[in-house]
């Protein structure tokens, strides 16, 4: 093991993945120094983290919150320098003093800083799946061109990464896929809290019910995505880019126990899988220690407590978001960025009780139908597709066409 601690930047430190990353880092102070922490606007929570970890830098989205954080830190005699704004997130992600970046901002806001880390050749732990959904081609090119070590944090992709041949490299390369002997990838899905709800019951579900996930504890947006199966759709697109898997080789199996985190099916009929308790500290510890292993702090899986592991096909009639994501992947160009942006607006409207749960899929479908896919191979064109999709989604919402 190397003696020099790695310097870690955590983008989205106040969130669910950020918290789990800090929980693992706390167990291994000799391996990781927390060099920078970022959040959007949770000043008090970020101040507490700065008091504990004493990072060199902390950043928030806007100037007012940053001034409040700086004042709190001064009062506690903490020397952390406070920055603000989207550019600051990118600067910290690419800073030469840091070597490892956890990209755990939620949503499209996470794309630019994650891409900055990829372009700077960092060891990049990627939780922000939206970056790959929006700009997968561009992102993976940056990873390859800069010899970035990309480690997937999403539990399914981390499980697949662990189950692929050790020499599967570089990530995102069609040649690596072709020589791997893999037939297809199976992404498992818990099915979320509404797995057994009828179409009629889905009409009346509340945000509170949607965010109380049966197996995983996560941020609000991904919890709603999980309930609608959009999360699995985004993950299909994410897997396509990470592993260069053709869309027809990406399969989804509903597995309500969330013990088998995903599987790789080989051409000889073997299935390799990664199993574990549903706890994000496991894939985070895997990526932090990679290629070594160290403890994650998660409880171990009690095999004798398991009575069964079930697998079933997803129902895209009741959960059409999964089908919409496959369609967007096959369409290509700006379609996945449009899907992602429309979904972010739809989830936000659902959480604010302005849209019903089935309305999420309706809104996404309407936005996709209104916006023919165009080429999106630069950050600017992806951001333009994202902006235009948000505008269309807002105007459809305001005329109540999709409620
Ligand atoms: P949370 O909502 O819990 O946390 C999001 C973090 O991002 C917070 O630190 C938040 O700051 C910050 N943030 C939000 N919006 C912005 C913005 N516009 N600019 C800068 N920072 C922002 O999300 P999760 O931790 O659940 O998810 C993070 C990412 O990881 C998502 O992409 C998700 O899909 C992915 N992921 C999460 C999993 C999980 O188990 N939670 C599992 C697999 C993937 P603040 O607190 O100040 O608002
Ligand atoms: Mg996942």
């Amino acid at each position: 093991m190397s003696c020099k601690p790695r310097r870690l930047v955590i983008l989205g430190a106040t969130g669910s993945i950020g918290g789990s990353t800090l929980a693992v880092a706390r167990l291994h102070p000799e391996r990781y120094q927390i060099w920078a922490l970022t959040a959007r606007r949770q000043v008090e929570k970020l101040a507490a983290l700065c008091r504990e970890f004493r990072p060199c830098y902390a950043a928030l989205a806007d100037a007012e919150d940053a001034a409040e954080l700086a004042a709190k830190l001064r009062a506690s005699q903490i020397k952390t320098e406070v920055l603000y704004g989207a550019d600051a997130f990118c600067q910290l992600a690419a800073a030469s003093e840091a070597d490892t970046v956890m990209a755990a901002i939620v949503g499209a806001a996470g794309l630019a800083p994650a891409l900055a880390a990829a372009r700077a050749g960092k060891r990049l732990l990627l939780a922000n799946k939206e970056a790959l959904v929006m700009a997968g081609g561009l992102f993976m090119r940056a990873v390859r061109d800069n010899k970035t070590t990309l480690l997937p944090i999403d539990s399914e992709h981390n499980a697949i990464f662990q189950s692929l041949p050790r020499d599967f490299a570089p990530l995102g390369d069609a040649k690596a896929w072709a020589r791997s002997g893999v037939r297809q990838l199976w992404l498992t899905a818990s099915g979320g809290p509404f797995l057994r709800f009828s179409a009629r019951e889905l009409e009346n579900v509340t945000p509170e019910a949607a965010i109380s996930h049966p197996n995983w504890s996560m941020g609000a947006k991904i919890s709603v995505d999980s309930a609608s199966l959009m999360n699995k759709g985004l993950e299909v697109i994410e897997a396509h880019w990470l592993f260069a898997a053709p869309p027809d080789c990406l399969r989804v199996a509903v597995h309500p126990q969330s013990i088998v985190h995903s599987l790789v099916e080989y051409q000889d009929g073997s299935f390799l899988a990664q199993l574990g308790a549903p706890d994000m500290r496991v894939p985070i510890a895997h990526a932090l220690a990679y290629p070594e292993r160290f403890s994650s702090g998660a409880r171990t899986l009690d095999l004798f407590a398991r009575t069964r592991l079930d697998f079933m096909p997803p129902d895209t009639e009741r959960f059409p978001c999964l089908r919409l994501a496959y369609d967007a992947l096959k369409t290509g160009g700006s379609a996945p960025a449009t899907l992602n942006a429309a979904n972010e607006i739809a989830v936000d409207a659902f959480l604010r009780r302005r849209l019903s749960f089935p309305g999420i899929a309706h809104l996404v479908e309407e936005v996709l139908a209104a916006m023919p896919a165009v080429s999106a191979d630069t950050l600017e064109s992806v951001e333009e597709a994202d902006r235009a999709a948000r505008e269309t989604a807002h105007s459809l919402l305001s005329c109540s066409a999709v409620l």
Side-chain angles (χ1 to χ4, degrees), residues 129 154-157 222 231-232 235:
K129 64 191 82 183
D154 213 345
S155 58
E156 296 76 5
H157 306 74
I222 185 176
N231 183 48
K232 216 44 56 181
E235 290 181 356

Side-chain angles (χ1 to χ4, degrees), residues 130-177:
E130 295 90 347
L132 283 176
V133 172
M134 296 172 72
L138 172 71
F139 197 92
M140 294 310 294
R141 223 171 22 252
V143 166
R144 282 197 299 279
D145 291 350
N146 297 286
K147 301 210 166 14
T148 300
T149 302
L150 181 62
L151 295 160
I153 293 298
D154 213 345
S155 58
E156 296 76 5
H157 306 74
N158 183 273
I160 288 168
F161 183 74
Q162 293 196 46
S163 307
L164 282 169
R166 249 296 163 83
D167 61 359
F168 189 100
L171 283 187
D173 185 317
K175 290 198 206 90
W177 172 266

Side-chain angles (χ1 to χ4, degrees), residues 11-19 38-43 45 60-61 89 103-107 109-110 126-130 153-156 216-223 225 231 234-235 238 280:
L11 304 168
T14 49
S16 165
I17 293 288
T38 82
R40 178 177 42 179
R41 58 177 170 222
Q42 286 206 67
V43 176
K45 196 163 175 184
L60 286 158
F89 301 142
I105 291 176
V106 62
L126 185 67
N128 176 257
K129 64 191 82 183
E130 295 90 347
I153 293 298
D154 213 345
S155 58
E156 296 76 5
W216 297 93
S217 156
M218 309 182 285
K221 190 257 179 185
I222 185 176
S223 297
D225 286 349
N231 183 48
L234 300 179
E235 290 181 356
E238 182 184 12
M280 287 308 293

